[in-house]
Amino acid sequence: MSIRTGVSEGVATIEIARPEKKNALTIAMYQAMAEALDAAQADAAVRAVLITGQPGIFSSGNDIEDFMSRGPGEGSINPESPVFRFMRALIGIDKPVVAAVTGAAVGIGTTMLLHCDLVYVSDEARLAMPFVGLGLVPEFGSSLVVPRLMGQVRAAEKLLLGDPFSPQDAVEAGIANAVLPAGEVVNHARRVAERFNALPPGAVRETKKLLRRASAEEVLKTIAVEGELFAQRLRSPEAMEAFQAFFQKRKPDFSKFS
Ligand code: COA
């Protein structure tokens, strides 16, 4: 199992631990993270959740092998799939979620941060949402939230061109709270999560809901629209070329597509 979980001092920790594949997320890992979030939601002793990765890598995003192995009939959205279960649990949990971005955060590694409440990033991290370069489209509300946070033209850099961005850029854009030295980011995020032990949980819960209320419905609608397109794009020849190129360690060739 490549997800480690545990509860200590009122904080439920979800640690992504598959360093040999740069913390790429498999179906089983999404399932484990969804279950951990549901358990945190149900456990009265848990006041906050901490999501973290490994030194130098937070997550390289969805496992590209899993993307490639989708069978016929999987070209449409499946709200019961583990990735949807995980993101639904993340968006729906009423306890604060703190992220310690220990290193590179790619694809859903960055998208999930948009749905965390407090985000701390290692000074060695890079963030990226390179969906277009993979023949895909943005996912889980990012096409709505990212332009709102950073404006249309900077969102185009990140989502149309897929340019990586620095932890400082993430702070400026309002995606992250602060940049920490790589060796301190997890402890800092944990200390922040532990602060919720001293706050009244009812007021925290209601305030978290209020902070997300204005955009909640639009986010869910956008996720449905993005999800349909994403599922179609996963089966596109453009995506196949991109996935094959990744594993063949070469540049993709999109010159034959129109
Ligand atoms: N899915 C499946 N395998 C992945 C992966 C992913 N998302 N990301 C990395 N891996 C695997 C590599 O294939 C490689 O496996 P191998 O050792 O069997 O060849 C191993 O993890 C190490 O990756 P590598 O690319 O050599 O590490 P790096 O330090 O040079 O680069 C990243 C790290 C994160 C920048 C790079 O791996 C990357 O860009 N990954 C893909 C990101 C991506 O496009 N994600 C999907 C977004 S939707």
Side-chain angles (χ1 to χ4, degrees):
M1 179 50 69
S2 319
I3 298 293
R4 295 191 195 122
T5 59
V7 177
S8 133
E9 304 287 330
V11 177
T13 299
I14 299 176
E15 181 187 340
I16 309 170
R18 194 189 176 207
E20 70 285 5
K21 292 290 176 187
K22 301 286 167 180
N23 278 1
L25 295 166
T26 61
I27 291 167
M29 290 163 75
Y30 288 124
Q31 183 70 30
M33 291 196 292
E35 284 166 12
L37 286 170
D38 289 347
Q41 172 73 19
D43 184 349
V46 170
R47 295 296 185 95
V49 175
L50 174 68
I51 302 182
T52 184
Q54 299 300 306
I57 184 79
F58 180 66
S59 173
S60 64
N62 201 97
D63 187 295
I64 294 177
E65 216 165 310
D66 275 7
F67 271 163
M68 287 180 83
S69 59
R70 289 167 67 93
E74 290 182 87
S76 65
I77 194 170
N78 175 7
E80 291 317 309
S81 66
V83 64
F84 267 86
R85 276 205 57 205
F86 163 62
M87 289 303 286
R88 208 166 38 238
L90 181 62
I91 292 167
I93 190 166
D94 63 14
K95 299 177 184 184
V97 180
V98 182
V101 184
T102 48
V106 187
I108 200 165
T110 289
T111 307
M112 73 169 86
L113 304 178
L114 305 173
H115 302 288
C116 294
D117 300 292
L118 293 149
V119 176
Y120 300 94
V121 189
S122 151
D123 57 0
E124 292 172 4
R126 300 287 284 168
L127 292 84
M129 294 176 281
F131 300 108
V132 166
L134 288 166
L136 303 172
V137 291
E139 48 161 18
F140 294 110
S142 51
S143 64
L144 177 76
V145 176
V146 174
R148 278 200 182 158
L149 284 174
M150 60 178 75
Q152 207 68 34
V153 292
R154 286 202 288 160
E157 264 173 12
K158 276 66 178 182
L159 287 169
L160 261 185
L161 290 171
D163 283 355
F165 53 106
S166 68
Q168 288 79 10
D169 285 343
V171 171
E172 267 169 46
I175 291 177
N177 294 82
V179 183
L180 278 301
E184 291 171 27
V185 66
V186 178
N187 283 342
H188 180 84
R190 181 175 299 284
R191 278 196 300 273
V192 172
E194 286 174 359
R195 284 177 56 190
F196 288 100
N197 288 317
L199 289 168
V204 167
R205 206 162 37 238
E206 296 302 341
T207 302
K208 169 163 175 160
K209 255 189 257 166
L210 284 170
L211 284 170
R212 302 263 170 186
R213 193 184 66 93
S215 58
E217 201 174 311
E218 268 177 302
V219 167
L220 292 180
K221 278 189 192 151
T222 304
I223 289 174
V225 173
E226 290 169 337
E228 279 303 340
L229 282 170
F230 196 95
Q232 288 166 24
R233 297 298 317 171
L234 271 178
R235 298 168 59 75
S236 67
E238 290 176 0
M240 281 304 144
E241 165 58 14
F243 300 157
Q244 277 161 10
F246 176 74
F247 286 117
Q248 290 163 6
K249 301 190 191 287
R250 61 170 172 85
K251 273 197 182 344
D253 175 8
F254 299 121
S255 62
K256 60 179 178 290
F257 299 111
S258 57

